[in-house]
Amino acid sequence: MNSKLEEELEKLNVKRVKLSKFLSKQNKQTVSANQLELLKQQKQVMAKYAKVLKLRIEDLKEVK
């Protein structure tokens, strides 16, 4: 089970990096202000999700 969580975390982190790179290149001419705000919110939620996954992985390691 641990490996599935680690794989999920790895995939999430790849997506987070891609989103961060995308956001760093965007401005109001390429993406609407609303879309930009929503993408920023998505990035924040992804970071929280990654943190929870890390905590779950650590917790499972401690149980063993």
Side-chain angles (χ1 to χ4, degrees), residues 17-28:
V17 168
K18 287 181 182 180
L19 179 56
S20 291
K21 287 179 182 178
F22 178 80
L23 286 172
S24 70
K25 296 176 184 176
Q26 298 311 302
N27 57 45
K28 290 185 179 173

Side-chain angles (χ1 to χ4, degrees), residues 10-26 39 42-43 46:
E10 184 177 327
K11 287 179 182 180
L12 178 62
N13 284 332
V14 168
K15 290 178 183 180
R16 287 174 58 206
V17 168
K18 287 181 182 180
L19 179 56
S20 291
K21 287 179 182 178
F22 178 80
L23 286 172
S24 70
K25 296 176 184 176
Q26 298 311 302
L39 287 167
Q42 180 177 329
K43 182 181 165 191
M46 291 169 83

